Amino acid sequence: MERILSGIKPTGNLTLGNYIGALKHFKDFQDSGEVFIFIADLHALTLPIDPKAINDNTRDLAAFYLASGLDPKKATIFVQSSVSAHAELNAIMQNYLYMGELSRMTQFKEKSAKMNDSAIGLGLFAYPVLMACDILLYDADIVPVGEDQIQHVEITRDLANRINKRYGKDTVVVPNYRVNKVGARIMSLSDPTVKMSKSDPKGDIFLKDPMNVVRKKIMSAVTDLGSEVKFDKENKPGISNLLTIYASIKEISIEDAEAHFVGYRYGDFKREVADAVIAELEPFQQRYQQIINDKSYLAVLREGAERASKIANVTLNRVKKAVGLLDVYGE
Ligand code: TYM
């Protein structure tokens, strides 16, 4: 059975980009494969974050996972820091990714460019090492992510191939990324030439936004010259982004979405996009709220950590042995 693994960082408010690019699709794998979905809380520490924020966001994310339709009987849902194998494998793997390749990572370049050198933590630079460990520990075959994480899965493949070449071909499994055909990169509503990200309140739709705010944000999304609802990323980035959002939510192709809106004016088009997003987010929020209130996510995370640890420790021990670390409890 195929192993599928993905995670989200508990930083800031989750956006419609996170939902469409990743979260919404995790459940699609749980009937056909073995699914591991985790909260990347150690990764959240790579930029300054308030202790209460990371704690609250972790709870939110657990509830979002469950509200998205992930079934804890089928999928293993856990918090990264509760499975110590992640940090242990990281201590080994940090020796096999190199300064040159890490400094070329887009995410590192973008995040560090906004910071003073003296404030950039080692964890931000070494981020892809820990992410690779997250993936390799579960022998993951498939890693569903949005477009911005492809590079990190690719460096994980480089690392896995390097390890297998040096220590034997079955030491770790080489993973593949999976991005959706539609919606792998949702853009900001206020500037459709940049990605929707957790730190852009104007251009974001947050998963916790009240429905009237969602509608308002979509109705005031930046559109383009002309009046035709057509998918054209170059000349109509705003309309194309809204069409992408609509197609992803409705689970139809861009062509079908375009065909649906032939002859629409921008205003009516936006109204229908807003209706579609609201029809999806409103029941999702209700499920989220119930799970937050009844705290049922806690037992799920505890059980998830136990299941995940068992599997992760098998890989960790295999790697320790391969690189020559002595198991004082074994032979
Ligand atoms: P994070 O928390 O930044 O984002 C979570 C997921 O959402 C996707 N995403 C988007 N998709 C479409 N449009 C957007 N505007 C958009 N913004 C974000 C991301 O691509 C991602 O799939 N490094 C990861 C977390 C992580 C991880 C892992 C993921 C840690 N270890 C192992 C997979 C496997 C991150 O920061 O995602």
Side-chain angles (χ1 to χ4, degrees):
M1 218 194 238
E2 272 183 327
R3 289 254 176 95
I4 294 97
L5 173 131
S6 198
I8 298 181
K9 268 191 322 261
T11 49
N13 279 315
L14 241 63
T15 69
L16 189 64
N18 299 126
Y19 183 79
I20 288 176
L23 177 58
K24 173 175 159 58
H25 299 282
F26 292 161
K27 66 173 186 312
D28 302 345
F29 297 91
Q30 67 186 358
D31 290 318
S32 56
E34 230 179 312
V35 172
F36 296 84
I37 300 295
F38 73 101
I39 299 167
D41 60 344
L42 293 172
H43 279 106
L45 294 173
T46 55
L47 289 173
I49 186 163
D50 183 57
K52 184 171 181 329
I54 187 170
N55 199 285
D56 288 348
N57 293 341
T58 299
R59 293 167 195 274
D60 271 357
L61 201 38
F64 283 142
Y65 283 160
L66 293 168
S68 77
L70 277 170
D71 175 354
K73 289 198 194 73
K74 297 179 184 161
T76 302
I77 303 170
F78 63 98
V79 177
Q80 184 185 30
S81 65
S82 63
V83 179
S84 58
H86 290 249
E88 287 184 65
L89 188 64
N90 187 58
I92 296 174
M93 291 300 179
Q94 64 186 350
N95 301 298
Y96 304 89
L97 281 178
Y98 305 127
M99 306 280 287
E101 56 196 351
L102 290 172
S103 56
R104 285 194 293 275
M105 291 288 106
T106 306
Q107 183 174 296
F108 175 71
K109 284 197 286 192
E110 279 176 8
K111 299 221 152 126
S112 58
K114 295 179 210 151
M115 300 165 74
N116 200 318
D117 265 5
S118 57
I120 301 169
L122 180 59
L124 186 67
F125 184 66
Y127 188 108
V129 182
L130 181 59
M131 178 154 164
C133 294
D134 301 336
I135 297 169
L136 298 180
L137 273 176
Y138 300 90
D139 294 336
D141 303 291
I142 300 175
V143 184
V145 284
E147 205 175 275
D148 63 340
Q149 294 299 318
I150 292 178
Q151 199 181 33
H152 287 157
V153 183
E154 277 175 341
I155 202 173
T156 304
R157 289 172 59 82
D158 294 345
L159 172 65
N161 284 318
R162 199 169 287 165
I163 292 289
N164 287 344
K165 198 162 164 212
R166 176 139 177 207
Y167 298 107
K169 69 176 173 39
D170 295 325
T171 311
V172 289
V173 171
V174 183
N176 287 295
Y177 62 82
R178 177 79 53 88
V179 294
N180 299 308
K181 260 208 229 96
V182 181
R185 188 176 178 84
I186 299 296
M187 311 306 276
S188 160
L189 296 180
S190 58
D191 177 359
T193 61
V194 303
K195 191 187 69 171
M196 185 182 279
S197 73
K198 290 170 194 152
S199 50
D200 168 28
K202 264 204 329 212
D204 266 346
I205 289 182
F206 295 121
L207 297 186
K208 283 165 72 171
D209 275 344
M211 290 307 130
N212 60 334
V213 173
V214 171
R215 186 173 293 282
K216 206 166 147 209
K217 284 182 177 172
I218 294 178
M219 292 310 290
S220 47
V222 167
T223 47
D224 317 291
L225 292 175
S227 58
E228 224 184 333
V229 179
K230 253 188 85 199
F231 190 83
D232 176 351
K233 262 193 189 166
E234 286 269 296
N235 301 307
K236 287 178 170 271
I239 294 295
S240 301
N241 191 37
L242 290 172
L243 268 172
T244 302
I245 291 173
Y246 183 84
S248 316
I249 295 277
K250 292 280 193 186
E251 299 181 10
I252 59 173
S253 65
I254 293 285
E255 292 75 26
D256 286 349
E258 258 182 331
H260 176 79
F261 290 113
V262 168
Y264 270 61
R265 291 160 189 271
Y266 282 174
D268 295 330
F269 163 59
K270 284 175 159 181
R271 201 161 296 120
E272 253 186 60
V273 175
D275 288 345
V277 172
I278 287 170
E280 177 98 355
L281 285 193
E282 201 165 31
F284 173 79
Q285 272 188 8
Q286 284 162 358
R287 291 193 294 275
Y288 153 83
Q289 199 55 56
Q290 195 191 336
I291 297 160
I292 281 291
N293 293 345
D294 68 20
K295 290 200 158 67
S296 51
Y297 60 86
L298 283 173
V300 169
L301 294 178
R302 256 183 245 128
E303 208 181 295
E306 269 175 42
R307 275 196 333 234
S309 291
K310 280 202 189 109
I311 288 164
N313 284 331
V314 173
T315 311
L316 176 64
N317 288 330
R318 195 172 67 232
V319 173
K320 281 167 102 172
K321 195 169 166 198
V323 303
L325 303 183
L326 178 67
D327 179 5
V328 298
Y329 300 107
E331 299 283 310

